[in-house]
Amino acid sequence: MDAVGNLHAIMTLWQTLFPLGWQHYLVGGLFVGAGVAFLFLFTGRVGGMSTVFSSTWTFVFDRPFFRDIKLLETRGWRLAYALGLILGAFVWWLWLGGGVAETTGVPWWLLLAGGFIAGYGARLGHGCTSGHGICGLGSLQWPSALAVVTFLVTAMLTANLVTRWLV
């Protein structure tokens, strides 16, 4: 294949991977990275989401896991952090998303099951993809690098299996 053919193949692959463009992913990634960096620089806190999830449940459950002092003492700022993420997504949706609802062809029960499996996996992995992928890799932690590789391989396998068997 000549250079023009290679370039065409690369452009076709790029358009297949990013049919709506890549710029918004770059901007979003820069904002997430900057937000996590500022949180750490100004407060010394790590902005992973699985601990936000666990600390939020301390408002509801009285089980020993949810009485951990680390969760109880940090649940206020973690809840504000999570609300900031939700508000940020809402502002983006109104400002750049045109206020049009996003839809998916995936059945609701698969989304729900996937959420529970991801949450359980985050607890097993001692953190979620944002914690390990952004915060852990950003601080050059070897266990986070292994976790990210495990998450990616598992996600690719799962997506292919679900696509072939369930959808």
Side-chain angles (χ1 to χ4, degrees), residues 89-101:
F90 183 70
V91 167
W92 177 90
W93 177 67
L94 288 176
W95 185 36
L96 297 174
V100 177

Side-chain angles (χ1 to χ4, degrees), residues 100-118:
V100 177
E102 296 291 330
T103 61
T104 179
V106 179
W108 69 268
W109 62 271
L110 271 179
L111 294 172
L112 185 65
F116 279 112
I117 291 168

